[in-house]
Amino acid sequence: MFRKLTFGVCIMFAVSSLFAANNKEQKRLENSGVVIQEVMSVPDNIPRSLLEKAECIIVFPSVLKAAFVVGGSYGRGAMVCRTGEHFSGVWGAPAMYALEGASVGFQLGGQATDLVLLVMNNKGASSILSSKVKLGVDASAAAGPKGRDASADTDAYMRAEILSYSRSRGLFAGVSLEGSTLRPDDDASADVYGRKITAKEIVLGNKVAVPTSGRHLVSVLQKNAPHNDSEKASNR
């Protein structure tokens, strides 16, 4: 009887741990939607013209900058890409992502900050879907311009595959993440979707439904940038 009781406790613990993991990743996905909504509500934010040209958006809510100073932590969040062969359709289902080893340029203090990354072309999207990439080496990155009047034809946009922004204590600015690594967090995606699945399968398969926890994130993007307005969308 003792063995049966012990076995039952182990099963309950395993189920409880799995449920907690699922809830943690789903909450992270929900928070990503809250971050995007708040960012888009601020006048001095990501230029709409750039958002309308982005092929993917990656959101990392509450990244701890102090952890990067000692080099032992990382941010976790979600990426949403436009559907279609050339990323020209509506926004699709989110895949979970991790950011590791931020550069010295990101060491701005001890408080938590939100990060938003815009993936601006097909090359950038394809590289981060395939494997871990180092920003500034495997994929070009730059601090993004901000404000309603910022031009979408800046040098940063023309050169960079990824534009990065940070928000901390109400302050919003472009930030350099060069030297950081970005990778699919397939374990976290499995927790969200309830099965083993890769970022590439989520984004390129076009057969994955948006989970309840990701609907807010996707709906905010769809409302603010429903179409890919880049003139190069069909050629990238």
Side-chain angles (χ1 to χ4, degrees), residues 36-37 39-41 45-59 80 82 87 89 91 116-120 145 147 150-152 157 163 165 217-230 236:
I36 281 294
Q37 182 179 32
V39 164
M40 297 313 300
S41 299
N45 63 7
I46 299 173
R48 185 70 60 88
S49 54
L50 284 180
L51 186 62
E52 290 172 341
K53 289 177 171 61
E55 300 190 346
C56 302
I57 305 291
I58 310 175
V59 185
V80 181
R82 298 181 189 274
F87 300 97
W91 295 97
V116 179
L117 279 58
L118 275 59
V119 183
M120 302 306 299
S151 171
Y157 165 66
L163 300 178
Y165 295 86
L217 172 60
V218 175
S219 66
V220 171
L221 291 174
Q222 191 61 32
K223 178 181 178 181
N224 286 278
H227 307 290
N228 188 340
D229 289 342
S230 174
R236 288 189 282 182

mmCIF file of all heavy atoms in Angstrom, residues 36-37 39-41 45-59 80 82 87 89 91 116-120 145 147 150-152 157 163 165 217-230 236:
data_model
loop_
_atom_site.group_PDB
_atom_site.id
_atom_site.type_symbol
_atom_site.label_atom_id
_atom_site.label_comp_id
_atom_site.label_asym_id
_atom_site.label_seq_id
_atom_site.Cartn_x
_atom_site.Cartn_y
_atom_site.Cartn_z
ATOM 1 N N ILE A 36 3.210 44.543 -26.087
ATOM 2 C CA ILE A 36 2.986 45.135 -27.411
ATOM 3 C C ILE A 36 1.840 46.139 -27.373
ATOM 4 O O ILE A 36 1.923 47.223 -27.971
ATOM 5 C CB ILE A 36 2.693 44.026 -28.442
ATOM 6 C CG1 ILE A 36 3.998 43.365 -28.877
ATOM 7 C CG2 ILE A 36 1.990 44.591 -29.673
ATOM 8 C CD1 ILE A 36 4.943 44.270 -29.645
ATOM 9 N N GLN A 37 0.779 45.821 -26.666
ATOM 10 C CA GLN A 37 -0.338 46.753 -26.580
ATOM 11 C C GLN A 37 0.081 48.055 -25.913
ATOM 12 O O GLN A 37 -0.268 49.150 -26.373
ATOM 13 C CB GLN A 37 -1.487 46.129 -25.790
ATOM 14 C CG GLN A 37 -2.713 47.044 -25.702
ATOM 15 C CD GLN A 37 -3.854 46.410 -24.951
ATOM 16 O OE1 GLN A 37 -3.653 45.620 -24.033
ATOM 17 N NE2 GLN A 37 -5.068 46.732 -25.353
ATOM 18 N N VAL A 39 3.162 49.275 -25.669
ATOM 19 C CA VAL A 39 4.133 49.960 -26.524
ATOM 20 C C VAL A 39 3.425 50.731 -27.637
ATOM 21 O O VAL A 39 3.755 51.888 -27.927
ATOM 22 C CB VAL A 39 5.129 48.950 -27.123
ATOM 23 C CG1 VAL A 39 5.889 49.560 -28.292
ATOM 24 C CG2 VAL A 39 6.113 48.480 -26.061
ATOM 25 N N MET A 40 2.415 50.117 -28.252
ATOM 26 C CA MET A 40 1.716 50.768 -29.347
ATOM 27 C C MET A 40 0.807 51.895 -28.875
ATOM 28 O O MET A 40 0.328 52.696 -29.674
ATOM 29 C CB MET A 40 0.897 49.733 -30.126
ATOM 30 C CG MET A 40 1.732 48.642 -30.791
ATOM 31 S SD MET A 40 3.180 49.266 -31.713
ATOM 32 C CE MET A 40 2.379 50.324 -32.933
ATOM 33 N N SER A 41 0.572 51.971 -27.565
ATOM 34 C CA SER A 41 -0.265 53.039 -27.016
ATOM 35 C C SER A 41 0.537 54.292 -26.683
ATOM 36 O O SER A 41 -0.037 55.328 -26.344
ATOM 37 C CB SER A 41 -0.987 52.544 -25.751
ATOM 38 O OG SER A 41 -1.830 51.448 -26.046
ATOM 39 N N ASN A 45 6.831 55.763 -29.878
ATOM 40 C CA ASN A 45 7.071 54.325 -29.842
ATOM 41 C C ASN A 45 7.709 53.834 -31.133
ATOM 42 O O ASN A 45 8.337 54.581 -31.862
ATOM 43 C CB ASN A 45 5.760 53.589 -29.572
ATOM 44 C CG ASN A 45 4.736 53.811 -30.681
ATOM 45 O OD1 ASN A 45 5.032 54.400 -31.708
ATOM 46 N ND2 ASN A 45 3.532 53.333 -30.468
ATOM 47 N N ILE A 46 7.530 52.568 -31.421
ATOM 48 C CA ILE A 46 8.022 52.014 -32.683
ATOM 49 C C ILE A 46 7.271 52.662 -33.841
ATOM 50 O O ILE A 46 6.038 52.676 -33.841
ATOM 51 C CB ILE A 46 7.802 50.494 -32.724
ATOM 52 C CG1 ILE A 46 8.573 49.813 -31.588
ATOM 53 C CG2 ILE A 46 8.218 49.909 -34.064
ATOM 54 C CD1 ILE A 46 8.277 48.342 -31.444
ATOM 55 N N PRO A 47 7.960 53.218 -34.816
ATOM 56 C CA PRO A 47 7.272 53.830 -35.959
ATOM 57 C C PRO A 47 6.346 52.836 -36.647
ATOM 58 O O PRO A 47 6.737 51.705 -36.935
ATOM 59 C CB PRO A 47 8.425 54.246 -36.881
ATOM 60 C CG PRO A 47 9.597 54.372 -35.979
ATOM 61 C CD PRO A 47 9.421 53.326 -34.919
ATOM 62 N N ARG A 48 5.109 53.250 -36.880
ATOM 63 C CA ARG A 48 4.156 52.365 -37.542
ATOM 64 C C ARG A 48 4.670 51.928 -38.913
ATOM 65 O O ARG A 48 4.431 50.794 -39.354
ATOM 66 C CB ARG A 48 2.817 53.100 -37.688
ATOM 67 C CG ARG A 48 1.684 52.253 -38.256
ATOM 68 C CD ARG A 48 1.259 51.207 -37.249
ATOM 69 N NE ARG A 48 0.787 51.786 -36.020
ATOM 70 C CZ ARG A 48 -0.479 52.156 -35.797
ATOM 71 N NH1 ARG A 48 -1.387 51.986 -36.737
ATOM 72 N NH2 ARG A 48 -0.835 52.664 -34.643
ATOM 73 N N SER A 49 5.383 52.819 -39.587
ATOM 74 C CA SER A 49 5.898 52.499 -40.915
ATOM 75 C C SER A 49 6.888 51.347 -40.879
ATOM 76 O O SER A 49 6.993 50.582 -41.842
ATOM 77 C CB SER A 49 6.549 53.735 -41.545
ATOM 78 O OG SER A 49 7.536 54.273 -40.674
ATOM 79 N N LEU A 50 7.628 51.223 -39.768
ATOM 80 C CA LEU A 50 8.559 50.098 -39.637
ATOM 81 C C LEU A 50 7.824 48.820 -39.260
ATOM 82 O O LEU A 50 8.132 47.741 -39.772
ATOM 83 C CB LEU A 50 9.618 50.407 -38.574
ATOM 84 C CG LEU A 50 10.730 51.377 -38.975
ATOM 85 C CD1 LEU A 50 11.688 51.579 -37.811
ATOM 86 C CD2 LEU A 50 11.488 50.862 -40.185
ATOM 87 N N LEU A 51 6.854 48.947 -38.372
ATOM 88 C CA LEU A 51 6.069 47.782 -37.971
ATOM 89 C C LEU A 51 5.360 47.178 -39.180
ATOM 90 O O LEU A 51 5.246 45.959 -39.316
ATOM 91 C CB LEU A 51 5.053 48.180 -36.908
ATOM 92 C CG LEU A 51 4.242 47.045 -36.272
ATOM 93 C CD1 LEU A 51 5.163 46.084 -35.548
ATOM 94 C CD2 LEU A 51 3.192 47.601 -35.325
ATOM 95 N N GLU A 52 4.910 48.029 -40.081
ATOM 96 C CA GLU A 52 4.205 47.555 -41.276
ATOM 97 C C GLU A 52 5.141 46.887 -42.275
ATOM 98 O O GLU A 52 4.684 46.214 -43.194
ATOM 99 C CB GLU A 52 3.478 48.729 -41.936
ATOM 100 C CG GLU A 52 2.293 49.223 -41.109
ATOM 101 C CD GLU A 52 1.699 50.497 -41.658
ATOM 102 O OE1 GLU A 52 2.388 51.195 -42.449
ATOM 103 O OE2 GLU A 52 0.555 50.819 -41.300
ATOM 104 N N LYS A 53 6.427 47.082 -42.121
ATOM 105 C CA LYS A 53 7.408 46.448 -43.008
ATOM 106 C C LYS A 53 8.077 45.237 -42.376
ATOM 107 O O LYS A 53 8.807 44.512 -43.042
ATOM 108 C CB LYS A 53 8.467 47.467 -43.430
ATOM 109 C CG LYS A 53 7.961 48.530 -44.391
ATOM 110 C CD LYS A 53 9.048 49.543 -44.700
ATOM 111 C CE LYS A 53 8.613 50.469 -45.831
ATOM 112 N NZ LYS A 53 7.402 51.244 -45.501
ATOM 113 N N ALA A 54 7.841 45.015 -41.094
ATOM 114 C CA ALA A 54 8.467 43.888 -40.394
ATOM 115 C C ALA A 54 7.817 42.574 -40.798
ATOM 116 O O ALA A 54 6.618 42.495 -41.014
ATOM 117 C CB ALA A 54 8.342 44.090 -38.890
ATOM 118 N N GLU A 55 8.635 41.537 -40.890
ATOM 119 C CA GLU A 55 8.119 40.209 -41.226
ATOM 120 C C GLU A 55 7.865 39.373 -39.987
ATOM 121 O O GLU A 55 7.006 38.493 -39.993
ATOM 122 C CB GLU A 55 9.096 39.517 -42.175
ATOM 123 C CG GLU A 55 9.263 40.312 -43.462
ATOM 124 C CD GLU A 55 10.020 39.554 -44.534
ATOM 125 O OE1 GLU A 55 10.642 38.532 -44.212
ATOM 126 O OE2 GLU A 55 9.990 40.002 -45.690
ATOM 127 N N CYS A 56 8.608 39.656 -38.915
ATOM 128 C CA CYS A 56 8.385 38.990 -37.632
ATOM 129 C C CYS A 56 8.595 40.005 -36.511
ATOM 130 O O CYS A 56 9.342 40.974 -36.671
ATOM 131 C CB CYS A 56 9.353 37.825 -37.425
ATOM 132 S SG CYS A 56 9.303 36.533 -38.695
ATOM 133 N N ILE A 57 7.943 39.766 -35.382
ATOM 134 C CA ILE A 57 8.122 40.564 -34.173
ATOM 135 C C ILE A 57 8.467 39.613 -33.037
ATOM 136 O O ILE A 57 7.808 38.588 -32.856
ATOM 137 C CB ILE A 57 6.841 41.334 -33.796
ATOM 138 C CG1 ILE A 57 6.352 42.191 -34.962
ATOM 139 C CG2 ILE A 57 7.079 42.183 -32.545
ATOM 140 C CD1 ILE A 57 7.235 43.355 -35.291
ATOM 141 N N ILE A 58 9.514 39.950 -32.263
ATOM 142 C CA ILE A 58 9.876 39.141 -31.102
ATOM 143 C C ILE A 58 9.750 40.014 -29.858
ATOM 144 O O ILE A 58 10.278 41.130 -29.819
ATOM 145 C CB ILE A 58 11.311 38.599 -31.206
ATOM 146 C CG1 ILE A 58 11.537 37.940 -32.572
ATOM 147 C CG2 ILE A 58 11.585 37.593 -30.088
ATOM 148 C CD1 ILE A 58 12.959 37.485 -32.809
ATOM 149 N N VAL A 59 9.050 39.512 -28.856
ATOM 150 C CA VAL A 59 8.814 40.265 -27.623
ATOM 151 C C VAL A 59 9.396 39.493 -26.439
ATOM 152 O O VAL A 59 9.082 38.315 -26.249
ATOM 153 C CB VAL A 59 7.312 40.507 -27.388
ATOM 154 C CG1 VAL A 59 7.103 41.394 -26.161
ATOM 155 C CG2 VAL A 59 6.663 41.131 -28.610
ATOM 156 N N VAL A 80 6.260 36.240 -33.373
ATOM 157 C CA VAL A 80 5.133 36.077 -34.290
ATOM 158 C C VAL A 80 5.575 36.557 -35.664
ATOM 159 O O VAL A 80 6.173 37.634 -35.790
ATOM 160 C CB VAL A 80 3.901 36.890 -33.836
ATOM 161 C CG1 VAL A 80 2.740 36.677 -34.795
ATOM 162 C CG2 VAL A 80 3.491 36.494 -32.426
ATOM 163 N N ARG A 82 4.513 36.961 -39.994
ATOM 164 C CA ARG A 82 3.424 36.985 -40.966
ATOM 165 C C ARG A 82 3.399 35.640 -41.700
ATOM 166 O O ARG A 82 4.427 35.003 -41.884
ATOM 167 C CB ARG A 82 3.635 38.122 -41.968
ATOM 168 C CG ARG A 82 3.638 39.509 -41.323
ATOM 169 C CD ARG A 82 3.818 40.581 -42.384
ATOM 170 N NE ARG A 82 4.026 41.885 -41.806
ATOM 171 C CZ ARG A 82 3.049 42.716 -41.441
ATOM 172 N NH1 ARG A 82 1.789 42.337 -41.596
ATOM 173 N NH2 ARG A 82 3.328 43.903 -40.935
ATOM 174 N N PHE A 87 6.212 35.956 -46.229
ATOM 175 C CA PHE A 87 5.850 36.666 -45.010
ATOM 176 C C PHE A 87 4.995 37.900 -45.315
ATOM 177 O O PHE A 87 5.193 38.967 -44.730
ATOM 178 C CB PHE A 87 7.111 37.086 -44.232
ATOM 179 C CG PHE A 87 7.976 35.939 -43.810
ATOM 180 C CD1 PHE A 87 9.080 35.573 -44.565
ATOM 181 C CD2 PHE A 87 7.688 35.215 -42.660
ATOM 182 C CE1 PHE A 87 9.882 34.495 -44.188
ATOM 183 C CE2 PHE A 87 8.494 34.149 -42.284
ATOM 184 C CZ PHE A 87 9.589 33.781 -43.038
ATOM 185 N N GLY A 89 1.429 37.715 -45.460
ATOM 186 C CA GLY A 89 0.037 37.521 -45.063
ATOM 187 C C GLY A 89 -0.268 38.062 -43.676
ATOM 188 O O GLY A 89 0.424 38.939 -43.150
ATOM 189 N N TRP A 91 -0.776 37.873 -39.489
ATOM 190 C CA TRP A 91 0.121 37.383 -38.448
ATOM 191 C C TRP A 91 -0.301 35.981 -38.020
ATOM 192 O O TRP A 91 -1.491 35.703 -37.841
ATOM 193 C CB TRP A 91 0.111 38.332 -37.252
ATOM 194 C CG TRP A 91 0.674 39.680 -37.589
ATOM 195 C CD1 TRP A 91 -0.028 40.794 -37.934
ATOM 196 C CD2 TRP A 91 2.060 40.038 -37.637
ATOM 197 N NE1 TRP A 91 0.832 41.829 -38.192
ATOM 198 C CE2 TRP A 91 2.114 41.407 -38.019
ATOM 199 C CE3 TRP A 91 3.247 39.363 -37.384
ATOM 200 C CZ2 TRP A 91 3.323 42.089 -38.149
ATOM 201 C CZ3 TRP A 91 4.446 40.042 -37.523
ATOM 202 C CH2 TRP A 91 4.487 41.392 -37.901
ATOM 203 N N VAL A 116 11.657 44.550 -27.584
ATOM 204 C CA VAL A 116 10.884 44.262 -28.790
ATOM 205 C C VAL A 116 11.846 44.280 -29.967
ATOM 206 O O VAL A 116 12.566 45.260 -30.172
ATOM 207 C CB VAL A 116 9.765 45.291 -29.026
ATOM 208 C CG1 VAL A 116 9.010 44.977 -30.308
ATOM 209 C CG2 VAL A 116 8.806 45.324 -27.836
ATOM 210 N N LEU A 117 11.884 43.176 -30.731
ATOM 211 C CA LEU A 117 12.766 43.069 -31.894
ATOM 212 C C LEU A 117 11.924 42.968 -33.153
ATOM 213 O O LEU A 117 10.957 42.201 -33.206
ATOM 214 C CB LEU A 117 13.658 41.835 -31.787
ATOM 215 C CG LEU A 117 14.918 41.903 -30.914
ATOM 216 C CD1 LEU A 117 14.591 42.258 -29.480
ATOM 217 C CD2 LEU A 117 15.671 40.578 -30.959
ATOM 218 N N LEU A 118 12.271 43.756 -34.165
ATOM 219 C CA LEU A 118 11.606 43.702 -35.459
ATOM 220 C C LEU A 118 12.527 42.996 -36.447
ATOM 221 O O LEU A 118 13.676 43.411 -36.635
ATOM 222 C CB LEU A 118 11.312 45.112 -35.979
ATOM 223 C CG LEU A 118 10.019 45.799 -35.522
ATOM 224 C CD1 LEU A 118 9.978 45.934 -34.011
ATOM 225 C CD2 LEU A 118 9.876 47.166 -36.197
ATOM 226 N N VAL A 119 12.044 41.920 -37.047
ATOM 227 C CA VAL A 119 12.811 41.202 -38.069
ATOM 228 C C VAL A 119 12.358 41.746 -39.415
ATOM 229 O O VAL A 119 11.196 41.594 -39.806
ATOM 230 C CB VAL A 119 12.573 39.685 -37.983
ATOM 231 C CG1 VAL A 119 13.439 38.952 -38.991
ATOM 232 C CG2 VAL A 119 12.862 39.184 -36.564
ATOM 233 N N MET A 120 13.284 42.376 -40.143
ATOM 234 C CA MET A 120 12.898 43.217 -41.270
ATOM 235 C C MET A 120 12.951 42.555 -42.640
ATOM 236 O O MET A 120 12.467 43.120 -43.612
ATOM 237 C CB MET A 120 13.765 44.482 -41.294
ATOM 238 C CG MET A 120 13.702 45.319 -40.024
ATOM 239 S SD MET A 120 12.010 45.774 -39.526
ATOM 240 C CE MET A 120 11.466 46.715 -40.947
ATOM 241 N N PRO A 145 15.078 53.172 -34.779
ATOM 242 C CA PRO A 145 14.603 54.552 -34.621
ATOM 243 C C PRO A 145 13.213 54.530 -34.003
ATOM 244 O O PRO A 145 12.493 53.531 -34.089
ATOM 245 C CB PRO A 145 14.576 55.074 -36.058
ATOM 246 C CG PRO A 145 14.331 53.849 -36.883
ATOM 247 C CD PRO A 145 15.065 52.739 -36.186
ATOM 248 N N GLY A 147 9.507 56.944 -32.597
ATOM 249 C CA GLY A 147 8.696 58.140 -32.759
ATOM 250 C C GLY A 147 7.854 58.111 -34.012
ATOM 251 O O GLY A 147 8.197 57.469 -35.004
ATOM 252 N N ALA A 150 9.646 59.292 -37.194
ATOM 253 C CA ALA A 150 10.881 58.638 -37.643
ATOM 254 C C ALA A 150 10.669 58.023 -39.017
ATOM 255 O O ALA A 150 9.643 57.427 -39.307
ATOM 256 C CB ALA A 150 11.304 57.565 -36.647
ATOM 257 N N SER A 151 11.653 58.177 -39.870
ATOM 258 C CA SER A 151 11.523 57.670 -41.233
ATOM 259 C C SER A 151 11.766 56.175 -41.292
ATOM 260 O O SER A 151 12.624 55.635 -40.613
ATOM 261 C CB SER A 151 12.532 58.384 -42.145
ATOM 262 O OG SER A 151 12.557 57.772 -43.420
ATOM 263 N N ALA A 152 11.012 55.490 -42.124
ATOM 264 C CA ALA A 152 11.203 54.052 -42.321
ATOM 265 C C ALA A 152 12.384 53.781 -43.242
ATOM 266 O O ALA A 152 12.787 52.640 -43.416
ATOM 267 C CB ALA A 152 9.939 53.441 -42.909
ATOM 268 N N TYR A 157 17.431 50.857 -40.952
ATOM 269 C CA TYR A 157 16.457 49.954 -41.574
ATOM 270 C C TYR A 157 17.013 49.354 -42.863
ATOM 271 O O TYR A 157 16.851 48.169 -43.136
ATOM 272 C CB TYR A 157 15.160 50.703 -41.886
ATOM 273 C CG TYR A 157 14.261 49.946 -42.828
ATOM 274 C CD1 TYR A 157 13.685 48.742 -42.438
ATOM 275 C CD2 TYR A 157 14.032 50.405 -44.115
ATOM 276 C CE1 TYR A 157 12.888 48.022 -43.304
ATOM 277 C CE2 TYR A 157 13.234 49.694 -44.990
ATOM 278 C CZ TYR A 157 12.656 48.497 -44.575
ATOM 279 O OH TYR A 157 11.885 47.782 -45.443
ATOM 280 N N LEU A 163 15.884 45.105 -35.946
ATOM 281 C CA LEU A 163 15.893 46.367 -35.213
ATOM 282 C C LEU A 163 15.411 46.089 -33.799
ATOM 283 O O LEU A 163 14.432 45.371 -33.597
ATOM 284 C CB LEU A 163 14.983 47.396 -35.887
ATOM 285 C CG LEU A 163 15.337 47.782 -37.325
ATOM 286 C CD1 LEU A 163 14.326 48.776 -37.878
ATOM 287 C CD2 LEU A 163 16.743 48.364 -37.401
ATOM 288 N N TYR A 165 14.421 47.370 -29.699
ATOM 289 C CA TYR A 165 13.903 48.441 -28.845
ATOM 290 C C TYR A 165 13.809 47.944 -27.407
ATOM 291 O O TYR A 165 13.620 46.749 -27.162
ATOM 292 C CB TYR A 165 12.510 48.875 -29.300
ATOM 293 C CG TYR A 165 12.459 49.508 -30.667
ATOM 294 C CD1 TYR A 165 12.340 48.727 -31.805
ATOM 295 C CD2 TYR A 165 12.529 50.895 -30.815
ATOM 296 C CE1 TYR A 165 12.288 49.319 -33.067
ATOM 297 C CE2 TYR A 165 12.473 51.486 -32.073
ATOM 298 C CZ TYR A 165 12.357 50.691 -33.197
ATOM 299 O OH TYR A 165 12.306 51.266 -34.432
ATOM 300 N N LEU A 217 -1.651 38.935 -28.269
ATOM 301 C CA LEU A 217 -0.446 39.369 -28.991
ATOM 302 C C LEU A 217 -0.713 39.454 -30.484
ATOM 303 O O LEU A 217 -0.395 40.459 -31.137
ATOM 304 C CB LEU A 217 0.690 38.398 -28.699
ATOM 305 C CG LEU A 217 1.985 38.554 -29.505
ATOM 306 C CD1 LEU A 217 2.598 39.921 -29.276
ATOM 307 C CD2 LEU A 217 2.976 37.451 -29.133
ATOM 308 N N VAL A 218 -1.293 38.419 -31.048
ATOM 309 C CA VAL A 218 -1.549 38.377 -32.487
ATOM 310 C C VAL A 218 -2.576 39.427 -32.896
ATOM 311 O O VAL A 218 -2.419 40.106 -33.922
ATOM 312 C CB VAL A 218 -2.010 36.974 -32.913
ATOM 313 C CG1 VAL A 218 -2.402 36.951 -34.390
ATOM 314 C CG2 VAL A 218 -0.904 35.947 -32.651
ATOM 315 N N SER A 219 -3.612 39.616 -32.097
ATOM 316 C CA SER A 219 -4.666 40.577 -32.452
ATOM 317 C C SER A 219 -4.148 42.013 -32.424
ATOM 318 O O SER A 219 -4.537 42.838 -33.261
ATOM 319 C CB SER A 219 -5.866 40.424 -31.517
ATOM 320 O OG SER A 219 -5.532 40.781 -30.187
ATOM 321 N N VAL A 220 -3.252 42.328 -31.468
ATOM 322 C CA VAL A 220 -2.683 43.683 -31.408
ATOM 323 C C VAL A 220 -1.835 43.956 -32.646
ATOM 324 O O VAL A 220 -1.903 45.042 -33.246
ATOM 325 C CB VAL A 220 -1.839 43.862 -30.128
ATOM 326 C CG1 VAL A 220 -1.073 45.188 -30.171
ATOM 327 C CG2 VAL A 220 -2.724 43.824 -28.895
ATOM 328 N N LEU A 221 -1.033 42.968 -33.057
ATOM 329 C CA LEU A 221 -0.215 43.134 -34.261
ATOM 330 C C LEU A 221 -1.094 43.263 -35.497
ATOM 331 O O LEU A 221 -0.831 44.092 -36.379
ATOM 332 C CB LEU A 221 0.736 41.945 -34.408
ATOM 333 C CG LEU A 221 1.852 41.858 -33.367
ATOM 334 C CD1 LEU A 221 2.633 40.556 -33.537
ATOM 335 C CD2 LEU A 221 2.787 43.054 -33.470
ATOM 336 N N GLN A 222 -2.134 42.445 -35.563
ATOM 337 C CA GLN A 222 -3.020 42.484 -36.721
ATOM 338 C C GLN A 222 -3.744 43.825 -36.809
ATOM 339 O O GLN A 222 -3.968 44.358 -37.899
ATOM 340 C CB GLN A 222 -4.029 41.332 -36.651
ATOM 341 C CG GLN A 222 -4.815 41.109 -37.923
ATOM 342 C CD GLN A 222 -3.940 40.752 -39.119
ATOM 343 O OE1 GLN A 222 -2.910 40.116 -38.968
ATOM 344 N NE2 GLN A 222 -4.342 41.169 -40.300
ATOM 345 N N LYS A 223 -4.107 44.381 -35.676
ATOM 346 C CA LYS A 223 -4.803 45.670 -35.646
ATOM 347 C C LYS A 223 -3.890 46.811 -36.074
ATOM 348 O O LYS A 223 -4.300 47.708 -36.813
ATOM 349 C CB LYS A 223 -5.340 45.944 -34.247
ATOM 350 C CG LYS A 223 -6.032 47.293 -34.098
ATOM 351 C CD LYS A 223 -6.517 47.515 -32.674
ATOM 352 C CE LYS A 223 -7.161 48.893 -32.522
ATOM 353 N NZ LYS A 223 -7.615 49.112 -31.123
ATOM 354 N N ASN A 224 -2.638 46.788 -35.612
ATOM 355 C CA ASN A 224 -1.722 47.895 -35.863
ATOM 356 C C ASN A 224 -0.946 47.782 -37.170
ATOM 357 O O ASN A 224 -0.482 48.792 -37.699
ATOM 358 C CB ASN A 224 -0.743 48.023 -34.697
ATOM 359 C CG ASN A 224 -1.379 48.601 -33.455
ATOM 360 O OD1 ASN A 224 -1.517 49.802 -33.320
ATOM 361 N ND2 ASN A 224 -1.797 47.724 -32.537
ATOM 362 N N ALA A 225 -0.773 46.568 -37.670
ATOM 363 C CA ALA A 225 -0.035 46.371 -38.930
ATOM 364 C C ALA A 225 -0.614 45.181 -39.675
ATOM 365 O O ALA A 225 0.020 44.121 -39.764
ATOM 366 C CB ALA A 225 1.445 46.173 -38.648
ATOM 367 N N PRO A 226 -1.825 45.322 -40.216
ATOM 368 C CA PRO A 226 -2.506 44.184 -40.844
ATOM 369 C C PRO A 226 -1.853 43.680 -42.116
ATOM 370 O O PRO A 226 -2.041 42.527 -42.495
ATOM 371 C CB PRO A 226 -3.907 44.727 -41.115
ATOM 372 C CG PRO A 226 -3.727 46.210 -41.210
ATOM 373 C CD PRO A 226 -2.641 46.538 -40.227
ATOM 374 N N HIS A 227 -1.082 44.536 -42.798
ATOM 375 C CA HIS A 227 -0.484 44.141 -44.076
ATOM 376 C C HIS A 227 1.013 44.414 -44.068
ATOM 377 O O HIS A 227 1.492 45.315 -43.394
ATOM 378 C CB HIS A 227 -1.125 44.905 -45.236
ATOM 379 C CG HIS A 227 -2.614 44.816 -45.264
ATOM 380 N ND1 HIS A 227 -3.281 43.651 -45.567
ATOM 381 C CD2 HIS A 227 -3.568 45.751 -45.001
ATOM 382 C CE1 HIS A 227 -4.583 43.861 -45.511
ATOM 383 N NE2 HIS A 227 -4.783 45.121 -45.161
ATOM 384 N N ASN A 228 1.754 43.629 -44.837
ATOM 385 C CA ASN A 228 3.167 43.886 -45.050
ATOM 386 C C ASN A 228 3.281 44.902 -46.187
ATOM 387 O O ASN A 228 3.065 44.575 -47.348
ATOM 388 C CB ASN A 228 3.902 42.585 -45.411
ATOM 389 C CG ASN A 228 5.415 42.774 -45.439
ATOM 390 O OD1 ASN A 228 5.909 43.883 -45.555
ATOM 391 N ND2 ASN A 228 6.134 41.677 -45.346
ATOM 392 N N ASP A 229 3.613 46.126 -45.818
ATOM 393 C CA ASP A 229 3.644 47.203 -46.801
ATOM 394 C C ASP A 229 4.992 47.384 -47.470
ATOM 395 O O ASP A 229 5.193 48.334 -48.227
ATOM 396 C CB ASP A 229 3.241 48.532 -46.137
ATOM 397 C CG ASP A 229 1.763 48.556 -45.794
ATOM 398 O OD1 ASP A 229 1.009 47.732 -46.346
ATOM 399 O OD2 ASP A 229 1.357 49.389 -44.964
ATOM 400 N N SER A 230 5.929 46.513 -47.197
ATOM 401 C CA SER A 230 7.236 46.646 -47.831
ATOM 402 C C SER A 230 7.121 46.377 -49.320
ATOM 403 O O SER A 230 6.549 45.375 -49.756
ATOM 404 C CB SER A 230 8.235 45.668 -47.210
ATOM 405 O OG SER A 230 9.450 45.701 -47.927
ATOM 406 N N ARG A 236 11.911 39.254 -51.256
ATOM 407 C CA ARG A 236 12.899 38.997 -50.215
ATOM 408 C C ARG A 236 13.019 37.545 -49.890
ATOM 409 O O ARG A 236 12.111 36.783 -50.075
ATOM 410 C CB ARG A 236 12.537 39.792 -48.954
ATOM 411 C CG ARG A 236 12.786 41.275 -49.146
ATOM 412 C CD ARG A 236 12.626 42.021 -47.843
ATOM 413 N NE ARG A 236 11.224 42.219 -47.528
ATOM 414 C CZ ARG A 236 10.805 42.866 -46.464
ATOM 415 N NH1 ARG A 236 11.667 43.328 -45.597
ATOM 416 N NH2 ARG A 236 9.542 43.029 -46.212
#
